[in-house]
Amino acid sequence: MEKGKLGWLKSLVASQRKNTNFLEQSSAILREPLKSDLLSSNLLQNVGQLKTIFDRSSDIVFRDFQVGETQKGTLLFLDGLVNMKLIDDDVIKPLLEYGKNQLTQAMLRYEGMEDFLSKQVISAAQISSGTSFQDVIDHVLSGDTVLILDGVERALFVSAREWESRSVEEPATEAVIRGPRDGFTENLRTNTSLIRRRLKTPQLKMEAMNVGRLSKTEIVITYLDNIADETLVAEVRERISRIDIDAILESGYIEEFIEDTPSSIFPQVQSTERPDKVVGNLLEGKVAIIIDNTPFALYVPVTFYEMLQASEDYYGRFMISTAIRWIRFLFLVIALFLPSLYIALLTFHQELVPSTLLYSVASSRETVPFPAIVEALLMEIAFEGLREAGVRLPRPVGQSVSIVGALVIGQAAVQAGIVSAPMVIVVSITGIASFIIPSFSQAVAIRMLRFPMMFLAGSLGLYGILLGMLFIMSHMCRLRSFGMPYLSPLAPLHFGDLKDVLVRVPWWQMTDRPEEGAKRNPHRMKQPLRPVPPNRKE
């Protein structure tokens, strides 16, 4: 009896030693540094290396299973970026169903286990494979499900991506009265589909790139192959490929890396939330850049006059669109020069002001203790502060605070004698004028240029304004956007392209695309298609 107990104890100790050796081997595999980036045929070693790589990552799921009687495998996916129902129905359930039968005879028609599973068992729409740990890491973090089998040195990547995303809505920054109401979202494939819906042609190319060492943000370069210049496409591709940064969080990162003159205050890359605006520019030979995780797409090249145009200009009647463009140009001049012109006239050139108006302004400034330049700076800074506060506050509160704040502060400042009533009027008109510019980045540039113009007017009068205007014009003449002159088609002059600058001619007269942008395919239509009434029979 004692010998039986002794034998049982010896077998128990041997079993524990065996288990201990197995645990030590497993932990040794987990601690072993990665000697090669390639997957091995040992499932335990592959899973151990991946668990080491994804250490302290609670959202990484390892799901072990067995195919047939002996074939073992592991599913690896990122919880929160996958569709669990697709994984259950298209991957796990077919694998377990086939596990009930013998697979040897069925596999004879295929090159290997992974080929058999991808063609015969797994019913997912997109399946690919890879041989390196880096491939596995990239696919897992992108939302794919990875299948690793014992004895196989390749991993299968099953597309079952799904995550929460915002629905397609009207762009908040580019609202229109007439026109499409759909806007880009933070989902890259949703954005590309919005463009595909409008251009049903294989000539629409979409080249994918990844930028960012840590974020690996997916970027799509899209263009029309039969219209866009190959040199422009190659330049866009080269500028994006040389970006070396840890993460890309928004399209503004890309914009600063690819513009021609980063020290300029004027934007040389245009951003938009509207798919129809992107498509309209693609049809003119331009290149668009769509970035994942942001609703703002970029397109290049751009000119100064394009940023004063809105999508709605091309959807309404051409005469009304032309009149609105003239109003925009007028208020652009007002937004840039009105405060500085007021300062120059009151400080240096009172003789240019009509006597009645001069007496009225002088009487309103009797109690103001500051010169015109200080008065204007105080009001402009206060107005910009109110504008910024209205943007940062919650939307239901922000608009009312900015409007009421401007009225209350302006009225109180006039009653207290700190500023004059004409200055409040000038600043208010200037602020309204800056809101009329369709491009937000261009409007901000004009708002910022207003301050140096005010200093020049306060020190040199009208001569300072003239010097400032000459400096701005010379700077804009030197600017390029991916090689295109910033003031094109006025400088250099392309007479045929003026049909869409100061005026907007009817669509049946826009037979040609812009000369600078679409040299490969310059014609939109063969001949002018002016509408004519049908012949009426008497």
Side-chain angles (χ1 to χ4, degrees), residues 439-511:
S439 173
F440 177 77
S441 55
Q442 191 70 272
V444 173
I446 298 300
R447 281 159 47 189
M448 294 299 104
L449 285 174
R450 187 189 308 156
F451 289 96
M453 293 299 298
M454 289 164 58
F455 283 110
L456 288 172
S459 57
L460 299 175
L462 292 178
Y463 298 105
I465 296 177
L466 181 60
L467 289 174
M469 183 175 62
L470 290 175
F471 176 80
I472 293 173
M473 293 301 297
S474 63
H475 173 70
M476 295 174 68
C477 288
R478 292 195 303 268
L479 281 182
R480 296 288 186 274
S481 176
F482 281 78
M484 178 180 288
Y486 200 58
L487 293 181
S488 176
L490 284 178
L493 179 63
H494 297 288
F495 186 77
D497 293 345
L498 296 179
K499 62 182 180 296
D500 195 22
V501 179
L502 297 177
V503 298
R504 204 278 279 178
V505 300
W507 270 112
W508 43 265
Q509 281 189 346
M510 290 191 184
T511 56

Side-chain angles (χ1 to χ4, degrees), residues 156-167:
L156 290 182
F157 308 131
V158 182
S159 179
R161 303 180 184 183
E162 185 181 65
W163 51 78
E164 295 296 328
S165 60
R166 184 169 58 92
S167 60

Side-chain angles (χ1 to χ4, degrees), residues 283-322:
L283 291 170
E284 293 185 351
K286 298 183 180 179
V287 178
I289 306 167
I290 308 171
I291 300 96
D292 198 11
N293 300 319
T294 175
F296 287 92
L298 308 175
Y299 61 86
V300 292
V302 295
T303 64
F304 174 77
Y305 305 104
E306 291 178 11
M307 297 190 180
L308 297 177
Q309 300 170 2
S311 300
E312 203 169 3
D313 293 353
Y314 301 95
Y315 305 144
R317 299 188 62 81
F318 69 93
M319 294 173 288
I320 298 175
S321 299
T322 299

Side-chain angles (χ1 to χ4, degrees), residues 93-118:
K93 185 176 179 180
L95 286 172
L96 296 181
E97 289 294 331
Y98 268 87
K100 298 177 181 179
N101 306 318
Q102 294 293 330
L103 302 181
T104 305
Q105 296 298 326
M107 285 177 54
L108 293 177
R109 302 190 304 270
Y110 299 91
E111 298 178 358
M113 175 61 76
E114 75 280 0
D115 187 41
F116 167 71
L117 292 178
S118 62

Side-chain angles (χ1 to χ4, degrees), residues 194-355:
L194 291 174
I195 297 176
R196 285 284 184 188
R197 285 176 54 189
R198 289 168 166 83
L199 293 174
K200 301 177 181 67
T201 170
Q203 296 297 330
L204 178 62
K205 306 302 179 182
M206 293 190 175
E207 300 180 8
M209 302 176 66
N210 287 326
V211 180
R213 295 189 301 270
L214 299 181
S215 65
K216 299 187 184 301
T217 304
E218 189 173 0
I219 294 175
V220 170
I221 302 173
T222 179
Y223 56 92
L224 285 169
D225 192 31
N226 60 336
I227 298 178
D229 190 0
E230 295 178 356
T231 306
L232 173 63
V233 177
E235 181 67 19
V236 174
R237 192 185 300 119
E238 193 274 332
R239 293 192 188 188
I240 294 179
S241 63
R242 71 186 182 203
I243 297 175
D244 185 15
I245 192 174
D246 53 359
I248 298 292
L249 303 182
E250 213 276 332
S251 59
Y253 286 48
I254 303 295
E255 180 178 349
E256 290 195 32
F257 275 111
I258 65 175
E259 58 187 354
D260 291 51
T261 310
S263 58
S264 176
I265 195 173
F266 292 102
Q268 300 133 61
V269 178
Q270 179 67 301
S271 62
T272 181
E273 289 185 84
R274 300 190 60 86
D276 59 323
K277 195 170 183 178
V278 170
V279 171
N281 284 275
L282 292 179
L283 291 170
E284 293 185 351
K286 298 183 180 179
V287 178
I289 306 167
I290 308 171
I291 300 96
D292 198 11
N293 300 319
T294 175
F296 287 92
L298 308 175
Y299 61 86
V300 292
V302 295
T303 64
F304 174 77
Y305 305 104
E306 291 178 11
M307 297 190 180
L308 297 177
Q309 300 170 2
S311 300
E312 203 169 3
D313 293 353
Y314 301 95
Y315 305 144
R317 299 188 62 81
F318 69 93
M319 294 173 288
I320 298 175
S321 299
T322 299
I324 292 175
R325 284 190 182 180
W326 290 349
I327 293 175
R328 291 197 194 111
F329 280 105
L330 172 63
F331 276 82
L332 171 67
V333 175
I334 291 174
L336 182 58
F337 294 111
L338 183 59
S340 55
L341 185 62
Y342 178 83
I343 294 169
L345 291 178
L346 289 187
T347 307
F348 296 100
H349 310 284
Q350 296 89 348
E351 68 278 3
L352 298 179
V353 183
S355 301

